[in-house]
Amino acid sequence: MGQTDGQDQSGQTLGGQDLSSVDLSRGEMTGAKSLWATLANHGISTVFGYPGGAIMPVYDALTYYPEVRHVLARHEQGAIHAAEGWAKATGEIGVCIATSGPGATNLVTGLADAMMDSVPLLAITGNVARHLMGTDAFQEADITGITLPVTKHNYVVRDVEELPQIIAEAIRIARTGRPGPVLVDIPKDVQMAPYTGEIPKPHARPEIPAPSDESIGRALELLRSAKKPVIMAGGGSLDASAEITALARAWDIPVITTLMGLGAFPSSDPLWLGMPGMHGSVAANRAISEADVLLGIGLRFDDRVTGRVNGFAPNAAIIHIELDAAEIGKIIRTHVPVRGDAKVAAAKLTEGAVKGVWPEWTAQITEWKGRNETPDHWGAGYAVKAVVDRLTPDDILSSDVGQHQMLCAQLARFEKPRRWLNSGGLGTMGFGFPAAIGAGMAEPGVRSIVVAGDGGFQMTAQELATLKMYDIRNVKICIINNSYLGMVRQWQEMFHGKRYSEVWLGDSNPDFLKLADAYDVPGYRASSIEELPGAIDAWLNDPKSALLEVVVPHEHGVFPMVPAGAALYEMIESDPKRAAELKAQLADAPMNEVNDA
């Protein structure tokens, strides 16, 4: 990881603190100092965290290592989501630090989020001294026990001489194979103990196993026999984007990218069909339902992608390219398992390509693509489209969780991977804003834009202080304010008899512009189609990080939609309420206007 924006190139400041009077000779090596030395040796330039009693020796040792910048979040959840944003945008490991007890437990949601989305993450926590562990000491928590199900691996360091080696091994594990979060818990007395060993160098990354020739041969046979093939690329395909693009074009096979796989295939390519699943495109879901061969790459066939499992791709033979053997056949019956590196597998399938000739399939795909609707009236969909239409190919778009997330995924267009960040598996409200901060600090030369709802933004709004403290200038916040927990409201409307229970926020929401102003963050607002273009211009052109609030009607549905328990082919293609409104408008219009329409 390289130098990040705001870090003094001379190494004489740390988080704004003047270090000119600090003794940087480092003196006697301790466990805490060996931690920072190991991180620096592994190229870690930025960590996100929040101090406390049991991690205090680590923070004291930080003053001797100005080459590692610490970003002070305002809540541990903000710190870990920022580390996730860094990792998702760069593909490299994100690092966060917290104290014991409540500091450590505040990381749990982020760890679960990273585990579900396969994010390389190192979480470092302090704990009470070894002789106090197990006594219910002040701010003690069994964080390794708590996080065992939501980490790839975790450690308690009981010997200071093992500390640097454990940190190095944790980084290797987090990065190797299917990435994931690793937690290292360090008792306070281990942090303070003298360390006499060497500082380890980075482990060489092991090669990802190549798929077998036999599995590639079987996959080629299926593809050559196909009349209605489709490729579905997931989050595990992001780093094989070039190879998958070449594969699809060599065979002339249409491509679907999952919520986590958006950007793995360029959206401008005519072969791209959009996103599948509960709020997937008409073309993607219909193609899955009619395909005779489905090539899945780097995905786990999540329930929001498949719909009712026995109705998923009912006519298709499934080829599944996947690094994690546990995912092959876990949900969907796999006819040809291909375990190994997606880059290598895609390249080998390209070498054996036969240009497809399937005019009927191509014609059907074209018809389905024509049924995708574009928002044409004032509401959340219109507002989101107006924002994402202003994205450049290099911009990073993060979202929080809810209706706006699905609208972003439906309407944004990505030409390359790692420009789209969201909480896909866990669906963590509050993820979007701190993730955008982490991504923006990782890539200070690009805009890091986050679209959030009025509910989710308030879960981590305190990170506005982080923007101010570090003078971060490339984060743009858009709040789609419908005064509701919109996705929950939509489900209550459609499946619970319109009994709206605990979803109304309108009478207690803050004035978001005043909230932003309290942190010296410029704010802009639009409440109509007419106001929106000018507000977006001012927001994006502001030289600082800025907030845009778009006030939209309370009720808005996200469609297409596959109801829970339904198959993809049972999707509701368009908003029935909107269809009824248009029908009524046509019925009331003079005949010449109807003919013009």
Side-chain angles (χ1 to χ4, degrees), residues 394-408:
D394 289 329
D395 286 340
I396 299 169
L397 176 64
S398 304
S399 83
D400 210 77
V401 170
Q403 288 183 315
H404 62 276
Q405 176 191 22
M406 295 297 102
L407 291 168
C408 284

Side-chain angles (χ1 to χ4, degrees), residues 5-27:
D5 188 37
Q7 182 176 355
D8 187 343
Q9 298 284 348
S10 68
Q12 295 303 305
T13 64
L14 181 67
Q17 176 190 357
D18 183 6
L19 295 182
S20 58
S21 61
V22 175
D23 175 13
L24 296 181
S25 62
R26 296 177 179 171

Side-chain angles (χ1 to χ4, degrees), residues 48 73-83 106 430 434-435 460 462-463:
F48 303 86
R74 291 304 185 270
H75 190 286
E76 292 88 356
Q77 185 177 356
I80 195 167
H81 290 327
N106 280 341
T460 46
Q462 72 280 345
E463 300 308 325

Side-chain angles (χ1 to χ4, degrees), residues 13 63 71 74 100 167 178 182 226 235 275 321 350 446 562 583:
T13 64
T63 62
V71 178
R74 291 304 185 270
S100 64
I167 294 296
R178 180 177 177 177
V182 178
M275 176 182 73
I321 300 172
T350 302
V446 305
V562 179
K583 184 177 181 181

Side-chain angles (χ1 to χ4, degrees), residues 42 165 168-172 175 200-206:
H42 283 71
Q165 288 73 25
E169 186 175 274
I171 292 171
R172 178 186 63 80
R175 289 170 164 170
K201 294 180 180 179
H203 292 276
R205 294 196 190 187

Side-chain angles (χ1 to χ4, degrees), residues 182-199:
V182 178
L183 181 137
V184 179
D185 191 41
I186 312 172
K188 189 171 184 178
D189 57 328
V190 174
Q191 300 169 40
M192 299 170 67
Y195 176 72
T196 59
E198 298 293 321
I199 301 302

Side-chain angles (χ1 to χ4, degrees), residues 212-429:
S212 69
D213 291 339
E214 186 269 340
S215 64
I216 293 294
R218 291 177 59 201
L220 285 170
E221 285 180 19
L222 261 185
L223 289 172
R224 288 167 183 161
S225 69
K227 298 293 186 288
K228 299 178 179 181
V230 68
I231 294 170
M232 189 156 70
S237 68
L238 293 176
D239 293 330
S241 173
E243 291 78 8
I244 291 169
T245 301
L247 166 66
R249 291 170 177 170
W251 288 86
D252 202 31
I253 298 177
V255 179
I256 296 164
T257 46
T258 70
L259 178 66
M260 298 303 299
L262 290 170
F265 187 80
S267 61
S268 60
D269 193 295
L271 290 171
W272 185 66
L273 303 187
M275 176 182 73
M278 180 168 282
H279 292 288
S281 71
V282 173
N285 285 346
R286 298 297 181 200
I288 291 169
S289 300
E290 296 295 329
D292 61 358
V293 174
L294 188 151
L295 171 58
I297 306 175
L299 74 168
R300 55 189 180 86
F301 293 108
D302 172 78
D303 61 293
R304 290 298 174 99
V305 165
T306 64
R308 191 176 70 244
V309 171
N310 64 7
F312 178 79
N315 307 307
I318 307 293
I319 305 166
H320 190 182
I321 300 172
E322 174 58 49
L323 183 60
D324 186 352
E327 295 295 344
I328 298 176
K330 185 177 82 172
I331 304 295
I332 299 297
R333 182 189 172 205
T334 301
H335 299 79
V336 179
V338 182
R339 188 189 175 203
D341 188 343
K343 292 167 72 95
V344 175
K348 288 187 174 183
L349 292 178
T350 302
E351 290 171 7
V354 176
K355 196 78 168 181
V357 180
W358 26 69
E360 293 182 3
W361 183 232
T362 301
Q364 180 63 80
I365 292 286
T366 301
E367 190 273 325
W368 284 329
K369 289 176 73 173
R371 281 152 64 176
N372 290 330
E373 297 181 355
T374 300
D376 60 357
H377 63 290
W378 182 239
Y382 188 99
V384 168
K385 187 174 190 307
V387 169
V388 301
D389 278 353
R390 301 291 293 274
L391 293 172
T392 70
D394 289 329
D395 286 340
I396 299 169
L397 176 64
S398 304
S399 83
D400 210 77
V401 170
Q403 288 183 315
H404 62 276
Q405 176 191 22
M406 295 297 102
L407 291 168
C408 284
Q410 290 175 346
L411 299 170
R413 298 294 178 258
F414 302 99
E415 293 301 303
K416 55 186 181 180
R418 301 198 178 280
R419 302 296 87 181
W420 163 243
L421 316 181
N422 82 123
S423 173
L426 198 64
T428 303
M429 290 178 69

